[in-house]
Amino acid sequence: MCGRFALGIPRKKLAEEFGLDAVPDAPDRYNIAPGQLVEAVVDAGFGRREMRLFRWGLVPSWSKEGAKGRGFVNARMETAATKPSFRAAMRYRRCLIPASGFYEWQTRPGGKQPWYFFRADGRAAALAGIWETYEGAMGQVLDSCAILTAEADAVVSVVHDRMPVAVAPEAYGGWLDAHMQDAARAASFFRRPGPSIWTGHPVGSAVNRTSVDEPGLIVPLRMA
């Protein structure tokens, strides 16, 4: 799964990367957790893209728990096109979630060791996301999202068996295109073999606490 990520990238650089007219200024974040607001790029129509805020944890429009529920943090790429909780979003509401990297935890005899993974080429990562709007009986509206995951590649599998799906720059347009409403085809965009785009290193245990959000979280840990 993908349960924590970072976004320590100047917003001007994000605007250039994703072809946005403008991006509101925001602080760097190094420990983004489920339930928090995340920035995501969506199709704004007429050939435009915009950045919007979503709560991380997708709540289906038909949910009985509504905004009170935690929602779905991740959706498996292999089944998202057919699962009732995700299939409508896969058809109509796809997004790109910018990240400078993500965390995973490696199970070891002495406990779980956090790792930080990031693109080896230094570019921003565009995580494949889907989103929904929940409207409650009392008029409350919640926009929420989930990150798609896939089987881990050779680099990430050393730590965990799943990883977030990263959208290649040349596929941004196809993934976001609201007129492309074939969910199975959308999922097939990412089934391409090739070398891993990721590199990573162990980091300190401070990332385990969601209250800690500082640049030092992504600094390599000196292992004994």
Side-chain angles (χ1 to χ4, degrees), residues 96-179:
L96 297 170
I97 300 175
S100 48
F102 67 94
Y103 300 95
E104 282 298 354
W105 279 256
Q106 182 181 37
T107 300
R108 291 185 171 182
K112 290 191 174 183
Q113 170 63 53
W115 280 63
Y116 178 67
F117 291 96
F118 53 97
R119 285 189 63 121
D121 60 7
R123 292 187 67 161
L127 307 184
I130 53 178
W131 63 275
E132 274 287 4
T133 296
Y134 170 83
E135 298 184 18
M138 303 301 292
Q140 66 271 37
V141 176
L142 172 68
D143 291 328
S144 60
C145 68
I147 294 174
L148 292 179
T149 66
E151 183 179 350
D153 62 22
V155 171
V156 180
S157 63
V158 174
V159 174
H160 199 275
D161 62 349
R162 304 289 295 179
M163 67 180 187
V165 173
V167 182
E170 62 270 19
Y172 289 173
W175 176 251
L176 292 176
D177 186 3
H179 296 291

Side-chain angles (χ1 to χ4, degrees), residues 29-89:
R29 302 172 66 190
Y30 295 93
N31 199 3
I32 302 171
Q36 297 179 358
L37 291 178
V38 301
E39 298 164 79
V41 179
V42 300
D43 184 347
F46 304 101
R48 295 178 58 254
R49 300 171 186 170
E50 66 179 9
M51 190 81 82
R52 290 180 53 185
L53 288 176
F54 297 89
R55 193 183 81 175
W56 187 13
L58 186 142
V59 177
S61 60
W62 41 262
S63 171
K64 293 182 179 180
E65 292 185 328
K68 296 179 181 179
R70 182 172 181 264
F72 297 96
V73 173
N74 295 149
R76 295 175 70 94
M77 181 190 70
E78 300 90 338
T79 58
T82 56
K83 276 210 161 188
S85 297
F86 310 126
R87 62 190 179 196

